């Protein structure tokens, strides 16, 4: 099809949904009390700004206007030049870590555009990168993970009608362990500063308190891939932007050509933030069954009228609309019946005006998503692919000592690990005294679900109602609900405490900018899936709670591993050394 298109038509198709940055389009801001006399363009931390100045007798005013777009093409003119001469060679790479999720449909739809435009497309399975990124993929599983990724991504492409015969699939270690590539890694490492390497990987490589050297190598290897795959352009998410700018800065120093870089938007997770393969609650796996999709969407943050950090709405925007010409909101006839949308902006407008109910939006997204997933799930029903899935992503190893005593115990029953806890950020919507207990508060707390949870906590002696109202807190959400003086409590509000006279108690504090429903996990246990409900007889929380403490730096920890969210650490204001319960 690409041969039938003009260079301009190819350019439009290749850059569709990728916003090209052009600083000349920026408008000088108007201000009723000031006239900005001069402006200049500058770059700071890889972000372009227009800086406006105005002077009066008494003051100098400066206004910074960022020119960073959410989707970009870096190298627009070079792209146009190549398309006038020949077909574009482009690659998209993915580190073979956790199981791919539904947000992968975003780059898949762009790969479809590239092929329609006649591009030569390479898909790189970056197995070595998966290992370098804090060993997200163990060395012994690299080959199996690559096989899994190849099968599932081919199934995705087939589900949206992309012909596989025009694609080239490459495994990173097929060339990244060669003498020439290794020498270039050493050459690059002699030029790139520790600061530049760390900054380049900040949004891609897992950030930990004591980072490994391997994480600093990751961005440089991705830059070198452009040369060794012999492509004109690299395509990835906007979270790759700093790696792309590192490539543009350093590849010419090795005598290699600066490449074009194209970026697609990142789909927010169901709990807000980026949808991540390593954060179970944020994503919907490609092999999740219908009931699991329903369950995850039901728990997703989708506040009426709120279009910010709304993972369900964003999924419709970035996945469903690019793949199909229309989207149908299914609803009861008494509420107006079904409504067909051909433009995402109309969906967002109606949702913001509360003309679309969150429940109807979730149900409609669920229906459309399952249609995409059905052929993928069907393909993976074969014995061969079931075996591959189990081998590439084995269940956690059993506790050998426990297995001898009771061989019938399951892995979940034996392993008492913090990833089994469903800990989330919550926001206190209302708080009042328990009608039948003077020492108890009755709270309504938003944990990112359709309805707030009722929580009963014994904090009357330690905090006033005003101190709790509208506060962000941390909750354990998968304890079995239990009645406290006649009212069922549906979660536990986690606090730090120090025994003594008087006893001191403080709620844990999420990092600034957190949203209700944000997942809280222990570092090193991010990829585990929480139990649906902790069985009281197994005392999972009680066994883990023994090692929950506040550090000398006022950080919540389990066995000296920090409790954290995607935005940072869980902390406590004053109770250094306190217990957490």
């Amino acid at each position: 099809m690409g041969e039938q298109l003009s260079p301009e038509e190819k350019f439009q198709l290749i850059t569709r949904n990728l916003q090209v940055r052009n600083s000349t389009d920026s408008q000088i801001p108007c201000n009723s009390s000031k006239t900005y006399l001069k402006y200049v363009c500058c770059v700071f931390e890889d972000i372009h700004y227009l800086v406006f100045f105005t002077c009066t007798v008494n003051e100098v005013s400066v206004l910074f206007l960022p020119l960073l777009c959410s989707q970009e093409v870096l190298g627009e003119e070079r792209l146009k030049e190549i398309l006038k001469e020949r077909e574009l060679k482009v690659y998209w790479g993915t580190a073979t870590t956790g199981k791919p999720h539904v947000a992968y449909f975003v780059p898949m739809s762009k790969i479809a555009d590239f092929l329609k435009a006649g591009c030569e497309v390479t898909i790189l399975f970056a197995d070595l990168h998966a290992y370098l990124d804090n060993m997200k993929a163990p060395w012994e599983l690299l080959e199996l993970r690559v096989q899994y990724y190849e099968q599932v991504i081919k199934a995705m492409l087939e589900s949206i009608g992309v012909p596989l015969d025009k694609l080239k699939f490459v495994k990173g270690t097929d060339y990244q362990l060669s003498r020439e590539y290794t020498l270039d890694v050493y050459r690059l490492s002699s030029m790139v500063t520790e600061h530049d390497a760390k900054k380049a990987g900040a949004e891609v490589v897992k950030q930990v308190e004591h980072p490994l050297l391997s994480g600093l190598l990751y961005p440089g290897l991705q830059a070198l891939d452009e040369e060794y795959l012999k492509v004109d352009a690299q395509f990835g998410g906007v979270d790759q932007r700093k790696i792309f700018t590192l490539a543009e800065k350093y590849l010419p120093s090795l005598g290699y050509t600066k490449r074009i870089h194209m970026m697609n938007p990142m789909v927010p997770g169901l709990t807000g933030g980026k949808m991540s393969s390593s954060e179970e609650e944020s994503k919907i796996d490609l092999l999740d069954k219908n009931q699991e999709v329903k369950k995850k969407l039901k728990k997703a943050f989708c506040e009426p009228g709120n279009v910010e950090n709304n993972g369900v709405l964003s999924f419709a925007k970035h996945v469903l609309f690019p793949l199909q010409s229309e989207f149908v909101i299914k609803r009861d006839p008494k509420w107006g019946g079904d409504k067909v949308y051909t433009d995402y902006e109309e969906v967002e407008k109606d949702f913001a005006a509360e003309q679309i109910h969150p429940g109807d939006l979730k149900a409609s997204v669920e229906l459309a998503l399952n249609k995409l997933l059905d052929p993928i799930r069907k393909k993976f029903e074969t014995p061969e692919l079931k075996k591959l899935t189990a081998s590439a992503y084995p269940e956690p190893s059993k506790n050998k000592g426990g297995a001898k005593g009771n061989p019938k115990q399951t892995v979940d029953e034996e392993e008492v690990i913090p990833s089994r806890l469903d800990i989330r950020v919550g926001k206190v919507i209302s708080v009042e005294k328990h009608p039948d207990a003077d020492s108890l508060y009755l709270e309504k707390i938003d944990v990112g679900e359709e309805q707030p949870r009722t929580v009963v906590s014994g904090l009357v002696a330690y905090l006033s109602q005003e101190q709790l109202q509208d506060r962000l807190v941390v909750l354990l959400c998968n304890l079995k609900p239990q009645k406290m003086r006649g009212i069922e409590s549906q979660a536990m509000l986690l606090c730090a405490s120090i025994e003594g006279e008087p006893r001191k108690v403080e709620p844990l504090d999420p990092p600034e900018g957190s949203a209700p429903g944000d997942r809280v996990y222990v570092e090193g246990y991010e990829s585990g899936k929480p139990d649906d409900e902790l069985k009281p007889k197994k005392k999972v929380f009680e066994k883990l709670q023994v090692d929950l403490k506040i550090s000398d730096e006022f950080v919540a920890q389990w066995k000296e591993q920090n409790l954290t969210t995607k935005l940072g650490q869980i902390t406590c204001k004053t109770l250094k050394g306190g217990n957490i319960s």
Side-chain angles (χ1 to χ4, degrees):
M1 180 177 175
E3 296 177 357
Q4 303 170 358
L5 302 176
S6 69
E8 180 58 31
E9 288 172 327
K10 291 179 182 179
F11 177 81
Q12 294 299 327
L13 187 56
I14 289 169
T15 60
R16 184 174 67 162
N17 296 326
L18 304 177
Q19 183 173 334
V20 180
R21 177 171 60 199
N22 186 347
S23 61
T24 59
D25 293 337
S26 300
Q27 305 233 342
I28 297 178
C30 297
N31 187 303
S32 59
S33 60
K34 296 188 178 103
T35 301
Y36 290 93
L37 301 176
K38 185 175 180 62
Y39 69 94
V40 296
C41 184
C42 71
V43 181
F44 178 70
E45 293 289 322
D46 297 326
I47 298 177
H48 287 66
Y49 294 86
L50 285 183
V51 187
F52 297 90
F53 300 90
T54 185
C55 300
T56 67
V57 175
N58 298 318
E59 67 174 357
V60 176
S61 297
V62 182
L63 174 67
F64 289 84
L65 180 66
L67 297 176
L68 181 62
C69 300
S70 59
Q71 299 86 246
E72 294 184 79
V73 176
L74 303 178
E76 173 191 356
E77 293 306 318
R78 174 64 178 150
L79 173 58
K80 290 179 177 179
E81 290 173 8
I82 291 174
L83 292 175
K84 290 177 182 177
E85 300 171 1
R86 56 175 173 80
E87 306 298 357
L88 184 75
K89 298 177 182 179
V90 60
Y91 101 86
W92 172 79
T94 179
T96 52
T97 55
K99 293 179 181 178
H101 47 73
V102 294
Y104 276 58
F105 277 114
V106 175
M108 295 304 104
S109 66
K110 277 309 303 174
I111 287 171
D113 285 343
F114 294 154
L115 291 173
K116 289 175 184 176
C119 299
E120 297 178 22
V121 181
T122 297
I123 291 181
L124 171 66
F125 298 114
D127 52 344
L128 188 57
H129 287 78
Y131 181 71
L132 292 175
D133 188 0
N134 279 275
M135 293 181 288
K136 285 182 179 178
W139 188 263
E140 63 273 13
L141 293 180
L142 287 185
E143 180 60 35
L144 291 167
R145 295 277 173 93
V146 169
Q147 293 175 28
Y148 178 87
Y149 264 67
E150 182 170 357
Q151 291 295 332
V152 82
I153 284 176
K154 285 181 176 178
M156 289 182 73
L157 291 167
E158 288 171 338
S159 77
I160 60 173
V162 176
L164 300 182
D165 57 329
K166 296 183 179 180
L167 289 167
K168 180 181 179 182
F169 296 91
V170 177
K171 183 173 67 172
T173 48
D174 284 346
Y175 66 88
Q176 290 168 343
L177 301 179
S178 68
R179 180 182 181 277
E180 295 77 14
Y181 188 93
T182 302
L183 180 59
D184 270 346
V185 172
Y186 288 138
R187 291 174 63 202
L188 192 61
S189 65
S190 71
M191 301 175 184
V192 179
T193 65
E194 182 269 346
H195 172 268
D196 282 1
K198 188 174 182 180
K199 184 178 72 172
E203 294 185 51
V204 178
V205 179
K206 179 183 173 184
Q207 300 300 296
V208 295
E209 188 173 357
H210 301 291
L212 299 173
L213 179 60
S214 59
L216 298 177
L217 293 174
Y218 187 114
L221 268 65
Q222 186 169 333
L224 287 173
D225 290 340
E226 298 176 351
E227 174 64 24
Y228 280 79
L229 291 172
K230 303 302 179 184
V231 295
D232 306 305
Q234 183 178 174
F235 167 62
V238 291
D239 60 339
Q240 307 270 338
R241 189 181 192 282
K242 291 179 181 179
I243 293 180
F244 292 167
T245 56
L246 178 131
E248 293 191 3
K249 179 178 180 180
Y250 285 104
L251 280 190
S253 300
L254 295 175
Y256 299 143
T257 304
K258 182 191 295 188
R259 265 60 178 195
I260 299 159
H261 295 101
M262 299 179 284
M263 288 160 269
N264 64 258
M266 304 303 295
V267 177
L270 301 179
T271 58
K274 183 174 76 172
M275 190 174 288
S276 169
S277 292
S278 59
E279 188 177 341
E280 189 67 31
E281 292 300 305
S282 76
K283 62 171 183 162
I284 294 175
D285 282 335
L286 295 168
L287 301 183
D288 278 348
K289 297 186 182 300
N290 290 39
Q291 57 268 33
E292 189 67 21
V293 172
K294 179 186 289 291
K295 178 182 174 183
K296 288 183 177 180
L297 283 172
K298 186 176 180 180
K299 293 170 65 177
F301 176 73
C302 190
E303 186 178 50
N306 186 352
V307 299
E308 300 296 326
N309 295 317
N310 187 324
V312 182
L313 202 58
S314 295
F315 185 81
K317 177 180 180 179
H318 296 302
V319 177
L320 299 180
F321 270 92
L323 292 175
Q324 51 196 33
S325 58
E326 62 182 34
F327 176 59
V328 182
I329 292 291
K330 310 289 287 185
R331 56 189 178 187
D332 193 287
K334 68 180 180 180
W335 303 117
D338 297 352
K339 185 171 181 179
V340 179
Y341 291 89
T342 57
D343 180 10
Y344 168 75
E345 301 303 325
E346 290 300 312
V347 177
E348 185 175 294
K349 179 182 175 182
D350 283 358
F351 188 84
E354 299 191 27
Q355 294 177 16
I356 298 176
H357 189 275
D360 293 333
L361 176 64
K362 289 182 177 183
S364 303
V365 167
E366 177 192 342
L367 184 65
L369 177 56
N370 278 321
K371 288 182 179 179
L372 287 175
L373 297 182
D374 280 342
I376 302 172
R377 291 186 288 225
K378 185 176 182 180
K379 179 176 180 177
F380 273 76
E381 288 175 356
T382 64
E384 296 81 8
L385 291 184
K386 282 184 176 180
K387 182 180 178 181
L388 173 61
T389 304
S391 300
Y393 297 93
E395 293 293 329
S397 60
K398 293 185 178 182
N399 183 322
K400 294 178 181 179
K404 290 179 182 178
N406 183 4
K408 293 183 179 180
Q409 281 185 308
T410 65
V411 172
D412 285 345
E413 288 173 333
E414 293 167 2
E415 288 207 324
V416 181
I417 53 177
S419 56
R420 294 180 64 180
L421 305 179
D422 182 4
I423 306 177
R424 301 184 223 165
V425 173
K427 182 176 181 179
V428 180
I429 297 174
S430 67
V431 54
E432 59 187 43
K433 288 283 188 71
H434 192 296
D436 298 318
D438 292 339
S439 63
L440 301 177
Y441 280 134
L442 181 62
E443 301 127 357
K444 292 288 186 181
I445 302 181
D446 180 3
V447 293
E449 298 171 339
E450 287 189 40
Q451 299 296 327
R453 293 200 184 194
T454 299
V455 179
V456 179
S457 59
L459 296 176
V460 172
Y462 308 103
L463 290 99
S464 67
Q465 292 177 235
E466 291 74 20
Q467 288 174 305
L468 279 174
Q469 181 67 45
D470 297 323
R471 180 173 184 151
L472 287 176
V473 292
V474 178
L475 295 105
L476 178 60
C477 293
N478 60 342
L479 288 173
K480 183 177 181 179
Q482 60 178 345
K483 288 190 175 182
M484 299 180 68
R485 298 297 294 270
I487 296 179
E488 185 177 78
S489 183
Q490 299 168 332
M492 176 191 290
L493 198 159
L494 294 178
C495 297
S497 63
I498 291 181
E499 301 303 321
E501 291 296 335
R503 183 173 187 254
K504 297 179 180 179
V505 177
E506 289 181 9
L508 299 182
D509 292 318
E512 185 177 352
S514 295
D518 284 357
R519 173 88 186 276
V520 178
Y521 52 86
V522 174
E523 287 182 344
Y525 295 88
E526 297 91 336
S527 60
K529 183 178 180 180
D531 291 11
D532 291 335
E533 183 177 280
L534 297 172
K535 296 178 173 61
K537 290 183 179 180
K538 300 298 180 183
K539 297 190 179 298
V540 174
F541 176 68
E542 289 81 355
K543 293 174 183 177
L544 294 168
Q545 189 267 333
V546 173
D547 295 301
L548 287 169
K549 307 284 183 184
I550 301 297
S551 73
D552 290 343
E553 289 75 36
F554 302 99
V555 177
Q557 296 183 332
W558 180 79
K559 290 188 175 181
E560 300 184 350
Q561 295 292 108
N562 294 338
L563 271 69
T564 185
T565 73
K566 62 180 182 290
L567 296 179
Q569 299 167 343
I570 302 297
T571 58
C572 172
K573 289 185 174 62
T574 66
L575 300 186
K576 178 171 64 175
N579 296 313
I580 299 173
S581 59

